[in-house]
Amino acid sequence: MSVSWCKSYLLPASLFVIFSFCLSGCIDQEPDTISWRLQTQATKESIDYQGLLELSDSVSKMSAGRLQLEIIPSCEVPAGPDIYSAVQERRIEMGNGWPNWWSGQHPAWALMNAGPFDFMNLDASMMFFLAGEGTQLANTLSSPDGILWRPAWWPGMEFGLISKEPITGLDDLREKKVRIGPGLPSEVLTAAAGAYTIPLVPNEIRPALENGDIDAVEWTTARGAWDLGLHDIGQHAIVPAIWQPSVLSDFLINQAAFDELAPDLQAILEAAIKSYTLSVTMKAKVADFEAFKQLADSGVNINRWSQEDIDRWREESDKVLVKYAQRDPITKEIIDKKRSFKKEYNQYYDWFGNYEQQ
């Protein structure tokens, strides 16, 4: 056997052994697992919380276990407006709440959610944020704080107020204590009714109504009110929630944490969020139909706002928005762009709207 033959045989064989060893090591190696915490304002009983569990499961499966999201229900770790600071400081990687709760960071956040006489139905708001300039405007507010903003889901028009004593109009709310979200909704209610507004978080609402610490409660939609068991305490309601006709929930993502993810994990998270947005919005709104029937069947006496009250709401809302528009350029820009989009939407649906009710 010649030396040259041995070299020509042994060299490829050695390379094959080395390559096989390296390949085996790569196959056997477990992928790194990245663990995130997502704090939500949703209660465990809610459809949106259950949807977050499904989102977490989807992310885990699509990433082959490389990205894990721990979903933390309402009022654990940070609560209410502190969710924003917790994401900013990376005490948690993601937060889920309502834009008007971040108005302590910048007053324009109160406008990012739907205030009185804003978009009058959830599809207009969805178009503005998913296909229009809404998400870009929101990120203009969040980016300086190192936060990536995404729309979460749309409850749409909220239910109204539930109380122990009858409320037939704005005059009945004078000097009453009302649980309502912070920012624009509470400011307009105070101006229109002369009520005191208190932004309680979910676990505080029911005890406060039971103990008489508050006189009336605003809490999301019919399904949200039913899940919180408010009908067990208050047998009177006035609808709808003039202050939030097309409310949306949002996601806050720590930008640095997101940038550390591999590109495929970023894409997986974005895709899971979009799936969550559509599925939870539709499921929750269908659930509202049934919950409204359940509230009525349980004995809740439901009133509507009078046209006189609605006119008062509009008058005070316009005054408050003038003050907002004078605060800074970005706040005015949000007001102007939402109004412009609403005008286009309404003009289109004047032709292609519900022809049954003309």
Side-chain angles (χ1 to χ4, degrees):
M1 183 182 296
S2 67
V3 173
S4 61
W5 186 91
C6 288
K7 287 181 178 179
S8 64
Y9 174 80
L10 290 175
L11 183 58
S14 300
L15 291 174
F16 176 77
V17 171
I18 294 171
F19 175 76
S20 299
F21 177 79
C22 291
L23 181 62
S24 174
C26 290
I27 293 174
D28 293 339
Q29 184 179 3
E30 290 290 331
D32 292 334
T33 298
I34 299 170
S35 298
W36 279 18
R37 295 197 301 169
L38 191 164
Q39 171 70 58
T40 178
Q41 284 189 316
T43 59
K44 286 184 177 181
E45 301 80 15
S46 66
I47 289 175
D48 44 322
Y49 180 80
Q50 297 304 314
L52 288 173
L53 296 180
E54 293 173 7
L55 180 149
S56 174
D57 185 59
S58 295
V59 168
S60 178
K61 289 177 178 175
M62 289 191 288
S63 68
R66 292 161 56 211
L67 180 58
Q68 301 289 333
L69 303 182
E70 177 190 357
I71 310 301
I72 306 169
S74 174
C75 302
E76 296 184 19
V77 195
D82 188 44
I83 289 177
Y84 191 100
S85 299
V87 174
Q88 182 182 12
E89 298 163 7
R90 203 169 175 175
R91 285 181 276 139
I92 53 176
E93 287 75 21
M94 285 185 71
N96 168 232
W98 313 95
N100 56 300
W101 281 82
W102 325 138
S103 57
Q105 306 292 328
H106 194 292
W109 280 116
L111 302 168
M112 203 56 65
N113 219 332
F117 307 96
D118 200 304
F119 300 126
M120 297 308 294
N121 35 29
L122 61 85
D123 60 331
S125 182
M126 291 179 77
M127 292 176 198
F128 181 71
F129 283 97
L130 296 177
E133 297 180 83
T135 295
Q136 179 183 344
L137 287 169
N139 277 291
T140 300
L141 293 174
S142 66
S143 291
D145 296 325
I147 292 175
L148 181 66
W149 187 92
R150 292 290 184 265
W153 68 287
W154 275 263
M157 186 173 290
E158 295 197 338
F159 179 69
L161 296 176
I162 291 183
S163 59
K164 290 182 179 180
E165 301 297 326
I167 296 174
T168 60
L170 286 171
D171 289 339
D172 291 337
L173 290 171
R174 180 165 298 279
E175 298 187 353
K176 293 292 195 296
K177 300 183 292 281
V178 180
R179 184 277 162 201
I180 191 172
L184 187 60
S186 61
E187 291 175 49
V188 176
L189 176 60
T190 297
Y196 301 107
T197 57
I198 307 170
L200 301 177
V201 294
N203 67 315
E204 299 171 331
I205 293 174
R206 185 180 169 110
L209 185 61
E210 284 179 323
N211 298 334
D213 295 330
I214 54 176
D215 300 299
V217 171
E218 169 263 11
W219 177 246
T220 68
T221 62
R223 175 59 190 258
W226 179 263
D227 286 343
L228 214 56
L230 298 179
H231 58 286
D232 295 333
I233 309 166
Q235 286 286 294
H236 301 278
I238 187 164
V239 302
I242 302 292
W243 49 91
Q244 285 185 317
S246 56
V247 65
L248 79 149
S249 170
D250 61 356
F251 283 121
L252 307 174
I253 306 170
N254 181 276
Q255 184 71 63
F258 184 80
D259 291 342
E260 291 169 7
L261 296 177
D264 65 318
L265 293 183
Q266 291 179 351
I268 286 170
L269 182 60
E270 293 273 23
I273 287 174
K274 290 176 181 176
S275 176
Y276 173 89
T277 298
L278 182 61
S279 61
V280 171
T281 297
M282 297 299 106
K283 288 178 182 178
K285 188 46 60 185
V286 170
D288 281 338
F289 302 163
E290 181 60 28
F292 184 74
K293 295 177 185 176
Q294 290 174 316
L295 287 168
D297 292 343
S298 70
V300 175
N301 180 40
I302 301 173
N303 291 307
R304 290 178 181 268
W305 301 101
S306 68
Q307 186 58 52
E308 180 183 355
D309 280 334
I310 292 173
D311 292 341
R312 281 172 60 183
W313 277 106
R314 183 181 287 278
E315 180 181 355
E316 297 302 330
S317 176
D318 289 345
K319 291 178 184 178
V320 172
L321 284 175
V322 167
K323 295 178 182 178
Y324 267 87
Q326 294 172 344
R327 290 183 177 180
D328 59 80
I330 182 62
T331 302
K332 185 178 186 302
E333 183 182 8
I334 292 170
I335 293 172
D336 290 344
K337 289 192 172 180
K338 292 185 88 174
R339 283 176 171 171
S340 177
F341 189 87
K342 180 182 177 181
K343 182 179 179 180
E344 289 185 35
Y345 177 94
N346 289 341
Q347 287 174 341
Y348 179 84
Y349 281 100
D350 280 344
W351 292 95
F352 300 100
N354 185 350
Y355 55 81
E356 284 187 318
Q357 297 180 4
Q358 289 183 353

